Amino acid sequence: MEQDVESPITIRQPKLPKQARDDFCNQRADKERAKRKIQRYVRKDGKCNVHNGNVRETYRYFTDIFTTLVDLKWRFNLFIFVLVYTVTWLFFGMIWWLIAYVRGDLEHIGDNQWTPCVNNLNGFVSAFLFSIETETTIGYGYRVITDKCPEGIVLLLVQSVLGSIVNAFMVGCMFVKISQPKKRAETLVFSTHAVISIRDGKLCLMFRVGDLRNSHIVEASIKAKLIKSKQTKEGEFIPLNQTDLNVGYDTGDDRLFLVSPLIICHEINEHSPFWDISKSHLAKEELEIVVILEGMVEATGEEGSRDSCFSLLRINVPLSLRILTPTGITLL
């Protein structure tokens, strides 16, 4: 029996001078390194590039259903919003129709001697419309409940209470979804690259942050974390280990008055994770710096008055590193 054997394919490289071959290899290595850097822990837009998989205890998402709904995408959130109201109206409309059917109101339509549970209810469509009028408190006045129907009075109370709960839950969910300050992060600008240079006689890693809006961020604070794999002395490998970078915590420089663009500085000393990393070693390291800016968004009204409502703002912006040398800037 013959077997298919894959024959190796050899690609001949063109004969080039040694310097050209080295440059070609370096460019190829740079391209492969750039491809590997696409997989970020936190993307440039601030979204975490982490997806939870193989989650068995999915019931935990339903124990906090409000946060689960807020975290959903807009299309799913709007779909659930419409679905909840539609199902509620249909459910109570079916019960109103069932009461009219059991009482015999549908058999005495047009009989002036008969007192129905709901006036002018002559089918399921009218029952559905009456359910919408009851829950939304519209009350057109054409279909009204009578005082000869105790079961209808009880159902009216139940639907009014449950309708208020549904309104509070869904409207609150939509309000929180709309008021999230994610779009506020689009007007906060970070420098594309960080630089390492001498400042006041100290080796520092620096980057710049600025706000484009006239409304300021109240009590803004900034912190930075180094995301890098680590191996302990016992041989344990810790992927994506997080290390704090001191950007002025001990001096108070991490608390910002973000009116004009500011330069954030991290001193590379013996307490810095970059202390034992040389320039040549840094070019081979696979690491990521995540900058987190926290503050409260200032909501302004007319005549410069300040609103009392604030929203927490959290922005994650990963930075790529550059080394500032006397001959220029070298990209790592």
Side-chain angles (χ1 to χ4, degrees):
M1 183 176 179
E2 296 182 357
Q3 296 181 354
D4 295 334
V5 179
E6 295 182 357
S7 60
I9 300 175
T10 58
I11 300 176
R12 295 183 180 180
Q13 296 183 355
K15 294 182 179 180
L16 298 174
K18 184 178 183 301
Q19 183 178 1
R21 291 199 303 268
D22 293 340
D23 294 339
F24 177 76
C25 294
N26 292 334
Q27 292 177 2
R28 190 173 181 180
D30 293 339
K31 290 181 180 180
E32 292 179 356
R33 190 182 300 113
K35 289 181 180 179
R36 290 198 304 268
K37 286 186 178 181
I38 293 177
Q39 299 297 330
R40 292 178 175 270
Y41 185 70
V42 180
R43 297 199 299 264
K44 279 288 187 179
D45 57 358
K47 296 180 180 179
C48 296
N49 195 18
V50 178
H51 302 279
N52 297 327
N54 196 20
V55 179
R56 298 180 180 179
E57 298 179 353
T58 55
Y59 67 90
R60 295 182 181 272
Y61 294 104
F62 296 98
T63 55
D64 188 11
I65 188 65
F66 186 83
T67 306
T68 302
L69 291 177
V70 172
D71 291 339
L72 289 177
K73 296 182 179 180
W74 268 109
R75 54 180 177 270
F76 299 114
N77 208 307
L78 292 175
F79 174 75
I80 293 176
F81 184 85
V82 175
L83 182 64
V84 168
Y85 278 105
T86 304
V87 170
T88 305
W89 296 335
L90 287 172
F91 174 75
F92 284 102
M94 179 65 70
I95 297 180
W96 285 113
W97 176 84
L98 186 62
I99 291 177
Y101 178 79
V102 172
R103 285 174 51 89
D105 296 341
L106 301 179
E107 299 176 357
H108 296 81
I109 298 176
D111 188 357
N112 296 328
Q113 303 298 325
W114 180 264
T115 304
C117 183
V118 179
N119 289 329
N120 301 313
L121 194 151
N122 52 17
F124 177 75
V125 176
S126 58
F128 175 69
L129 294 176
F130 180 72
S131 175
I132 296 176
E133 296 172 14
T134 301
E135 189 166 337
T136 57
T137 64
I138 294 176
Y140 289 114
Y142 182 70
R143 281 173 288 270
V144 293
I145 189 172
T146 61
D147 55 355
K148 303 298 182 179
C149 182
E151 59 271 21
I153 297 175
V154 174
L155 181 60
L156 179 64
L157 294 175
V158 173
Q159 185 173 4
S160 300
V161 173
L162 291 181
S164 300
I165 295 175
V166 170
N167 289 332
F169 186 84
M170 298 307 301
V171 173
C173 178
M174 295 298 294
F175 177 78
V176 173
K177 186 75 173 177
I178 295 173
S179 62
Q180 285 182 338
K182 291 183 179 180
K183 297 301 181 181
R184 182 64 174 88
E186 301 296 332
T187 54
L188 281 171
V189 181
F190 286 78
S191 55
T192 306
H193 302 284
V195 297
I196 296 178
S197 180
I198 301 296
R199 191 180 195 188
D200 294 333
K202 301 176 183 178
L203 188 64
C204 299
L205 183 146
M206 295 173 288
F207 58 91
R208 181 175 290 184
V209 59
D211 190 5
L212 300 180
R213 288 190 179 274
N214 294 326
S215 58
H216 306 309
I217 298 179
V218 183
E219 297 182 1
S221 63
I222 193 168
K223 59 183 178 181
K225 286 186 175 293
L226 176 66
I227 310 297
K228 178 187 174 184
S229 299
K230 175 185 176 182
Q231 188 170 3
T232 62
K233 297 180 180 180
E234 295 78 13
E236 180 186 1
F237 180 75
I238 304 177
L240 301 176
N241 182 59
Q242 300 183 11
T243 306
D244 287 334
L245 298 179
N246 189 0
V247 290
Y249 176 77
D250 50 352
T251 60
D253 293 337
D254 61 331
R255 293 184 290 273
L256 309 178
F257 182 51
L258 199 59
V259 177
S260 61
L262 300 176
I263 297 177
I264 311 301
C265 179
H266 164 67
E267 180 183 349
I268 302 179
N269 51 23
E270 59 273 9
H271 302 292
S272 173
F274 297 106
W275 180 253
D276 297 328
I277 303 178
S278 63
K279 176 183 174 181
S280 59
H281 192 198
L282 187 61
K284 302 176 183 178
E285 287 285 342
E286 293 185 0
L287 51 87
E288 183 176 334
I289 297 178
V290 178
V291 179
I292 303 172
L293 177 64
E294 295 180 334
M296 290 181 291
V297 179
E298 179 190 28
T300 57
E302 295 181 358
E303 298 181 358
S305 62
R306 182 174 299 175
D307 199 348
S308 60
C309 297
F310 300 99
S311 302
L312 182 63
L313 179 67
R314 182 182 294 262
I315 300 148
N316 304 290
V317 180
L319 303 175
S320 57
L321 288 179
R322 286 176 180 260
I323 297 293
L324 185 62
T325 62
T327 58
I329 299 177
T330 305
L331 176 62
L332 298 183

